[in-house]
Amino acid sequence: MLFKSLTIFLLIGAALGSAVPPTFEITVETTLTDFLLHSPVLRSGETFNAGCFDYYLPVIKGHADQLDADFVFCQDTYDNAFVLIDGSYTYARDELRDSVRASCGSMLLCDGDTTNSKAFECLADKGPSSSKDLDDVSDKAADHQASLLEEVRSIKKTLSDCQLTAQRNYKANHAQSLEEMNGCLADPEWDYPTTVSVL
């Protein structure tokens, strides 16, 4: 009995200490702890097949590792798409920058006039045209921003769908492995299966 208790606590430590799971996964991973602590098979003491742990704990860890890999893939796909989308607006940004510099530059030239009268005349003359140019820049910038954000919303949705699929696959595989391990623990005649759960 002492051997069984020690084995259970070592397995709990190995299962929980093998990796730091994402926040959503923590509650799922505790089901393994709950399983080990509350399994009728382990508590009854009638049958105990230690080979089940040797086989299924690496399988369960494999599901967690696959989840991490899937999340990295989802994030990398999003990051690469964002760089492409943002980069596609560089030319538009440069055009607006040049327009601002031209408009503001023409106004700043007025400061070079030697008399106040000439400076005021210059500003009064160039002001309306520069103001119209800046209003146009503002309108175009707002249009570009709306278009860019719409494209980003689309890839954020793709990211969310990708992560959700990874979570669902993980939870299904994790639950299946726990169920199989429970059946294995109750079967003293259990032998290694010829196939493994699909990750």
Side-chain angles (χ1 to χ4, degrees):
M1 187 65 183
L2 176 62
F3 171 74
K4 183 191 294 188
S5 298
L6 180 60
T7 302
I8 291 172
F9 286 113
L10 287 174
L11 290 169
I12 291 171
L16 295 179
S18 60
V20 178
T23 303
F24 85 90
E25 186 187 332
I26 290 173
T27 55
V28 179
E29 284 299 327
T30 58
T31 60
L32 177 55
T33 305
D34 293 338
F35 169 78
L36 293 172
L37 291 175
H38 302 105
S39 170
V41 175
L42 294 179
R43 296 179 68 173
S44 71
E46 295 173 6
T47 59
F48 180 70
N49 192 340
C52 301
F53 291 118
D54 294 338
Y55 178 79
Y56 279 106
L57 287 182
V59 170
I60 290 170
K61 183 180 183 305
H63 297 323
D65 291 343
Q66 183 62 50
L67 176 67
D68 290 341
D70 289 344
F71 262 56
V72 167
F73 172 79
C74 294
Q75 189 63 52
D76 285 349
T77 301
Y78 170 83
D79 291 342
N80 292 334
F82 181 86
V83 168
L84 290 175
I85 290 170
D86 194 62
S88 70
Y89 286 85
T90 300
Y91 180 77
R93 177 181 175 176
D94 290 346
E95 275 192 324
L96 296 183
R97 178 199 61 205
D98 292 345
S99 295
V100 169
R101 285 180 176 172
S103 296
C104 294
S106 67
M107 296 285 287
L108 290 173
L109 288 175
C110 296
D111 194 45
D113 287 325
T114 55
T115 66
N116 292 331
S117 175
K118 288 287 186 183
F120 292 149
E121 180 183 2
C122 176
L123 290 170
D125 180 52
K126 296 182 183 295
S129 175
S130 294
S131 177
K132 181 181 178 304
D133 290 343
L134 291 176
D135 283 343
D136 186 49
V137 165
S138 179
D139 291 342
K140 287 180 179 177
D143 290 342
H144 291 316
Q145 172 74 342
S147 177
L148 190 155
L149 290 179
E150 185 61 34
E151 292 187 59
V152 170
R153 270 192 290 273
S154 175
I155 63 171
K156 281 184 177 177
K157 174 71 166 56
T158 301
L159 171 64
S160 177
D161 290 345
C162 181
Q163 291 175 333
L164 184 60
T165 298
Q167 289 178 27
R168 287 176 174 168
N169 289 340
Y170 167 78
K171 289 178 181 178
N173 290 329
H174 182 84
Q176 179 182 346
S177 293
L178 287 182
E179 183 179 350
E180 290 175 1
M181 186 166 70
N182 194 32
C184 165
L185 290 168
D187 181 7
E189 304 299 321
W190 178 87
D191 197 3
Y192 290 101
T194 56
T195 59
V196 185
S197 302
V198 177
L199 296 180

PDB file of all heavy atoms in Angstrom, residues 21 43 55 72 90 93 100 137 147 171 191 194:
ATOM      1  N   PRO A  21       1.361  24.686 -18.374  1.00  0.00           N
ATOM      2  CA  PRO A  21       0.372  24.792 -19.438  1.00  0.00           C
ATOM      3  C   PRO A  21      -0.233  26.180 -19.519  1.00  0.00           C
ATOM      4  O   PRO A  21      -0.146  26.954 -18.567  1.00  0.00           O
ATOM      5  CB  PRO A  21      -0.696  23.772 -19.008  1.00  0.00           C
ATOM      6  CG  PRO A  21      -0.583  23.734 -17.522  1.00  0.00           C
ATOM      7  CD  PRO A  21       0.864  24.005 -17.199  1.00  0.00           C
ATOM      8  N   ARG A  43      -8.072   3.033  -5.566  1.00  0.00           N
ATOM      9  CA  ARG A  43      -8.519   3.040  -4.167  1.00  0.00           C
ATOM     10  C   ARG A  43      -8.959   1.659  -3.692  1.00  0.00           C
ATOM     11  O   ARG A  43      -8.895   1.363  -2.508  1.00  0.00           O
ATOM     12  CB  ARG A  43      -9.651   4.051  -4.000  1.00  0.00           C
ATOM     13  CG  ARG A  43      -9.178   5.482  -4.263  1.00  0.00           C
ATOM     14  CD  ARG A  43     -10.278   6.482  -4.130  1.00  0.00           C
ATOM     15  NE  ARG A  43     -10.698   6.566  -2.734  1.00  0.00           N
ATOM     16  CZ  ARG A  43     -11.556   7.454  -2.278  1.00  0.00           C
ATOM     17  NH1 ARG A  43     -12.080   8.331  -3.105  1.00  0.00           N
ATOM     18  NH2 ARG A  43     -11.896   7.480  -1.016  1.00  0.00           N
ATOM     19  N   TYR A  55       2.882   3.707 -19.950  1.00  0.00           N
ATOM     20  CA  TYR A  55       2.451   3.896 -21.331  1.00  0.00           C
ATOM     21  C   TYR A  55       1.694   5.213 -21.522  1.00  0.00           C
ATOM     22  O   TYR A  55       1.977   5.971 -22.453  1.00  0.00           O
ATOM     23  CB  TYR A  55       1.571   2.727 -21.779  1.00  0.00           C
ATOM     24  CG  TYR A  55       1.065   2.894 -23.195  1.00  0.00           C
ATOM     25  CD1 TYR A  55       1.886   2.616 -24.278  1.00  0.00           C
ATOM     26  CD2 TYR A  55      -0.216   3.393 -23.452  1.00  0.00           C
ATOM     27  CE1 TYR A  55       1.443   2.792 -25.576  1.00  0.00           C
ATOM     28  CE2 TYR A  55      -0.662   3.574 -24.747  1.00  0.00           C
ATOM     29  CZ  TYR A  55       0.167   3.276 -25.802  1.00  0.00           C
ATOM     30  OH  TYR A  55      -0.275   3.466 -27.080  1.00  0.00           O
ATOM     31  N   VAL A  72       1.754  27.622 -31.138  1.00  0.00           N
ATOM     32  CA  VAL A  72       2.872  28.349 -31.759  1.00  0.00           C
ATOM     33  C   VAL A  72       2.591  28.542 -33.245  1.00  0.00           C
ATOM     34  O   VAL A  72       2.809  29.639 -33.793  1.00  0.00           O
ATOM     35  CB  VAL A  72       4.195  27.587 -31.539  1.00  0.00           C
ATOM     36  CG1 VAL A  72       5.300  28.158 -32.432  1.00  0.00           C
ATOM     37  CG2 VAL A  72       4.613  27.646 -30.081  1.00  0.00           C
ATOM     38  N   THR A  90       2.438  50.686 -46.474  1.00  0.00           N
ATOM     39  CA  THR A  90       3.609  51.557 -46.349  1.00  0.00           C
ATOM     40  C   THR A  90       3.620  52.647 -47.429  1.00  0.00           C
ATOM     41  O   THR A  90       3.912  53.817 -47.144  1.00  0.00           O
ATOM     42  CB  THR A  90       4.910  50.738 -46.426  1.00  0.00           C
ATOM     43  OG1 THR A  90       4.918  49.780 -45.356  1.00  0.00           O
ATOM     44  CG2 THR A  90       6.134  51.622 -46.318  1.00  0.00           C
ATOM     45  N   ARG A  93       1.140  55.343 -46.547  1.00  0.00           N
ATOM     46  CA  ARG A  93       1.647  56.163 -45.439  1.00  0.00           C
ATOM     47  C   ARG A  93       2.705  57.148 -45.933  1.00  0.00           C
ATOM     48  O   ARG A  93       2.718  58.328 -45.536  1.00  0.00           O
ATOM     49  CB  ARG A  93       2.230  55.255 -44.357  1.00  0.00           C
ATOM     50  CG  ARG A  93       2.847  56.024 -43.201  1.00  0.00           C
ATOM     51  CD  ARG A  93       3.424  55.084 -42.162  1.00  0.00           C
ATOM     52  NE  ARG A  93       4.101  55.822 -41.119  1.00  0.00           N
ATOM     53  CZ  ARG A  93       4.638  55.257 -40.046  1.00  0.00           C
ATOM     54  NH1 ARG A  93       4.567  53.939 -39.887  1.00  0.00           N
ATOM     55  NH2 ARG A  93       5.252  55.977 -39.152  1.00  0.00           N
ATOM     56  N   VAL A 100       2.008  65.969 -46.029  1.00  0.00           N
ATOM     57  CA  VAL A 100       2.096  66.784 -44.803  1.00  0.00           C
ATOM     58  C   VAL A 100       3.346  67.647 -44.837  1.00  0.00           C
ATOM     59  O   VAL A 100       3.305  68.840 -44.508  1.00  0.00           O
ATOM     60  CB  VAL A 100       2.095  65.872 -43.552  1.00  0.00           C
ATOM     61  CG1 VAL A 100       2.457  66.666 -42.305  1.00  0.00           C
ATOM     62  CG2 VAL A 100       0.740  65.210 -43.382  1.00  0.00           C
ATOM     63  N   VAL A 137      -5.448  64.854 -46.172  1.00  0.00           N
ATOM     64  CA  VAL A 137      -4.579  63.847 -45.553  1.00  0.00           C
ATOM     65  C   VAL A 137      -5.320  63.140 -44.419  1.00  0.00           C
ATOM     66  O   VAL A 137      -5.264  61.907 -44.282  1.00  0.00           O
ATOM     67  CB  VAL A 137      -3.281  64.501 -45.019  1.00  0.00           C
ATOM     68  CG1 VAL A 137      -2.547  63.558 -44.069  1.00  0.00           C
ATOM     69  CG2 VAL A 137      -2.369  64.910 -46.175  1.00  0.00           C
ATOM     70  N   SER A 147      -9.575  50.418 -43.337  1.00  0.00           N
ATOM     71  CA  SER A 147      -9.305  49.277 -44.203  1.00  0.00           C
ATOM     72  C   SER A 147      -8.303  48.318 -43.563  1.00  0.00           C
ATOM     73  O   SER A 147      -8.490  47.096 -43.562  1.00  0.00           O
ATOM     74  CB  SER A 147      -8.765  49.776 -45.551  1.00  0.00           C
ATOM     75  OG  SER A 147      -8.427  48.701 -46.385  1.00  0.00           O
ATOM     76  N   LYS A 171      -8.419  18.649 -25.709  1.00  0.00           N
ATOM     77  CA  LYS A 171      -9.352  18.185 -24.679  1.00  0.00           C
ATOM     78  C   LYS A 171      -9.916  16.810 -25.028  1.00  0.00           C
ATOM     79  O   LYS A 171     -10.059  15.950 -24.153  1.00  0.00           O
ATOM     80  CB  LYS A 171     -10.480  19.198 -24.494  1.00  0.00           C
ATOM     81  CG  LYS A 171     -10.031  20.480 -23.816  1.00  0.00           C
ATOM     82  CD  LYS A 171     -11.174  21.478 -23.692  1.00  0.00           C
ATOM     83  CE  LYS A 171     -10.702  22.767 -23.035  1.00  0.00           C
ATOM     84  NZ  LYS A 171     -11.770  23.768 -22.940  1.00  0.00           N
ATOM     85  N   ASP A 191      -2.351  -5.182 -22.193  1.00  0.00           N
ATOM     86  CA  ASP A 191      -1.066  -5.177 -22.884  1.00  0.00           C
ATOM     87  C   ASP A 191      -1.013  -3.917 -23.737  1.00  0.00           C
ATOM     88  O   ASP A 191      -2.037  -3.296 -24.029  1.00  0.00           O
ATOM     89  CB  ASP A 191      -0.923  -6.423 -23.765  1.00  0.00           C
ATOM     90  CG  ASP A 191       0.537  -6.664 -24.159  1.00  0.00           C
ATOM     91  OD1 ASP A 191       1.406  -5.900 -23.687  1.00  0.00           O
ATOM     92  OD2 ASP A 191       0.787  -7.602 -24.914  1.00  0.00           O
ATOM     93  N   THR A 194      -1.793  -1.745 -30.089  1.00  0.00           N
ATOM     94  CA  THR A 194      -1.029  -1.703 -31.351  1.00  0.00           C
ATOM     95  C   THR A 194      -1.180  -0.357 -32.037  1.00  0.00           C
ATOM     96  O   THR A 194      -0.412  -0.014 -32.907  1.00  0.00           O
ATOM     97  CB  THR A 194      -1.516  -2.815 -32.305  1.00  0.00           C
ATOM     98  OG1 THR A 194      -2.922  -2.669 -32.499  1.00  0.00           O
ATOM     99  CG2 THR A 194      -1.216  -4.174 -31.712  1.00  0.00           C
TER     100      THR A 194
END
